């Protein structure tokens, strides 16, 4: 039976009806009323109701950025929506009686989709890092999504890599999000531009546009610009260090990288691998994991949310 997946983003809400094989049979998009949490619930309910009216579905999964409880029901905290201890599942189920609803973190949903249907599908233990504005993460151990005792496990972006390092939005300092994200890449590119030398093309692009953004830096990386590639290699080095720490604890068979920065492919993965091996305990005597780019890209959130909803409905 099909299931519905909803992925709540900062600017849009994506919805889809998804088969048991992870195939999308119908999609929907709505603007995201992120500044009005009640309107957000209204929009999600309307999308689910509309999609369910044309398909037989076992349930619906809703994925959103933030901390979700272990029961996949309550949003403890959402960074971009004014949800604090929000009983989201209960609010949606109240308006859609008879339909099983589950709520999950957006990175968990995307990671689960990659594990089930994408780059991690032949493995039992996978760690996924989503490299966008921040760093998201999802961990699968023994074919099960790791949630932790309170449901908020797998927050890889807040693994500390630099004691006393740069301040993070989470309140700590030195998190990998400050060294391995798209925002960090722009900062590193700006520093290289300031230094001159190989940074001159970056400086010229910044002067022309007024500031560096992801499109400019990504374009220069694709062209092989030495300064932009150096910034990406620095970013990859930090991510590789973080992966080595993760590997020492979780021992995944594969690391999967998603998000906008991951489109650089091996230009990102090569320095990640190098740094990982440089910091790997017992190197030479320890099996080495695979490092791959995510396959499902923009569909991962809705596909993963739908599959998690199907599993939740079956368990109930």
């Amino acid at each position: 039976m099909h299931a519905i997946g909803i992925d709540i983003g900062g600017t849009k809400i994506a919805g889809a009806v998804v088969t048991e094989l992870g195939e999308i049979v119908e999609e929907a998009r709505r603007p995201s009323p992120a500044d009005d949490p009640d309107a957000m619930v209204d929009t999600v309910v309307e999308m689910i109701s509309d999609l369910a009216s044309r398909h037989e579905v076992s349930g619906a999964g809703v994925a959103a950025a933030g901390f979700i409880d272990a029961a996949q029901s309550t949003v403890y905290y959402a960074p971009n929506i004014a949800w604090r201890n929000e009983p989201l599942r209960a609010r949606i189920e109240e308006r859609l009686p008879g339909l099983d609803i589950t709520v999950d973190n957006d990175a968990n949903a995307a990671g689960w989709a990659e594990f089930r249907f994408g780059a991690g599908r032949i493995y039992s233990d996978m760690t996924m890092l989503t490299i966008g504005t921040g760093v998201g993460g999802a961990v699968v151990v023994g074919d099960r999504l790791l949630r932790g005792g309170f449901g908020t496990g797998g927050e890889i972006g807040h693994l500390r890599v630099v004691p006393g390092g740069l301040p993070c939005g989470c309140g700590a300092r030195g998190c990998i999000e400050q060294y391995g994200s798209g925002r960090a890449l722009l900062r590193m590119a700006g520093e290289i531009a300031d230094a001159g030398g190989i940074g001159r093309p970056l400086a010229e692009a910044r002067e022309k546009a007024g500031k560096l953004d992801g499109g400019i830096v990504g374009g220069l990386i694709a062209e092989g610009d030495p300064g932009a590639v150096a910034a990406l290699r620095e970013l990859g080095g930090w991510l590789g260090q973080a992966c080595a720490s993760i590997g020492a604890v979780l021992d995944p068979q594969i690391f999967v990288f998603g998000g906008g920065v991951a489109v650089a492919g091996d230009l990102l993965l090569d320095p990640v691998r190098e740094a990982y091996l440089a910091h790997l305990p017992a190197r030479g005597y320890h099996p080495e994991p695979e490092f791959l780019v995510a396959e499902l890209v923009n569909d991962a959130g809705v596909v993963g949310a739908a599959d998690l909803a199907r599993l939740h409905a079956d368990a109930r």
Side-chain angles (χ1 to χ4, degrees), residues 181-242:
S181 64
R183 188 185 297 114
L185 178 65
L186 295 182
R187 186 187 71 246
M188 294 166 184
E191 292 169 353
I192 291 172
D194 292 340
I198 62 170
R200 286 191 185 120
L202 282 166
E204 291 169 0
R206 181 176 61 187
E207 183 177 357
K208 181 178 180 181
K211 66 176 183 178
L212 291 174
D213 60 24
I216 292 171
V217 175
L220 288 170
I221 289 170
E223 294 171 8
D225 173 71
V229 171
L232 185 66
R233 288 191 62 81
E234 181 180 355
L235 183 98
W238 286 113
L239 289 170
Q241 286 190 49

Side-chain angles (χ1 to χ4, degrees), residues 12-55:
K12 72 175 185 304
I13 302 174
V17 178
V18 184
T19 72
E20 294 181 355
L21 299 178
E23 300 167 340
I24 293 175
V25 297
E26 184 179 347
E27 294 181 277
R29 294 285 189 276
R30 301 278 180 87
S32 178
D35 57 347
D36 186 339
D38 290 329
M40 183 74 77
V41 174
D42 292 341
T43 303
V44 169
V45 168
E46 290 165 6
M47 289 184 72
I48 294 173
S49 179
D50 181 56
L51 290 169
S53 69
R54 292 185 293 279
H55 302 273

Side-chain angles (χ1 to χ4, degrees), residues 33-197:
D35 57 347
D36 186 339
D38 290 329
M40 183 74 77
V41 174
D42 292 341
T43 303
V44 169
V45 168
E46 290 165 6
M47 289 184 72
I48 294 173
S49 179
D50 181 56
L51 290 169
S53 69
R54 292 185 293 279
H55 302 273
E56 186 176 358
V57 297
S58 60
V62 180
F67 296 131
I68 316 296
D69 73 339
Q72 296 170 269
S73 174
T74 300
V75 181
Y76 288 137
Y77 172 86
N80 303 315
I81 307 168
W83 282 336
R84 305 293 184 265
N85 294 314
E86 174 72 22
L88 185 58
R89 187 174 79 192
R91 289 190 64 185
I92 296 173
E93 286 186 336
E94 181 181 15
R95 296 174 57 181
L96 296 171
L99 186 63
D100 188 83
I101 303 295
T102 185
V103 178
D104 221 313
N105 172 270
D106 57 348
N108 277 351
W112 184 253
E114 286 295 333
F115 171 72
R116 289 273 286 133
F117 309 110
R121 61 186 175 274
I122 65 171
Y123 300 91
S124 64
D125 290 70
M126 178 201 84
T127 295
M128 180 169 170
L129 294 88
T130 304
I131 315 302
T133 303
V135 175
V139 176
V140 177
V141 178
D143 295 315
R144 295 173 65 94
L145 190 61
L146 177 69
R147 300 185 185 282
F150 300 103
T152 63
E155 286 289 334
I156 291 171
H158 301 293
L159 175 69
R160 294 180 68 193
V161 292
V162 182
L166 295 170
C168 182
C170 73
R173 301 180 73 94
C175 297
I176 188 59
E177 184 160 293
Q178 302 307 309
Y179 298 87
S181 64
R183 188 185 297 114
L185 178 65
L186 295 182
R187 186 187 71 246
M188 294 166 184
E191 292 169 353
I192 291 172
D194 292 340

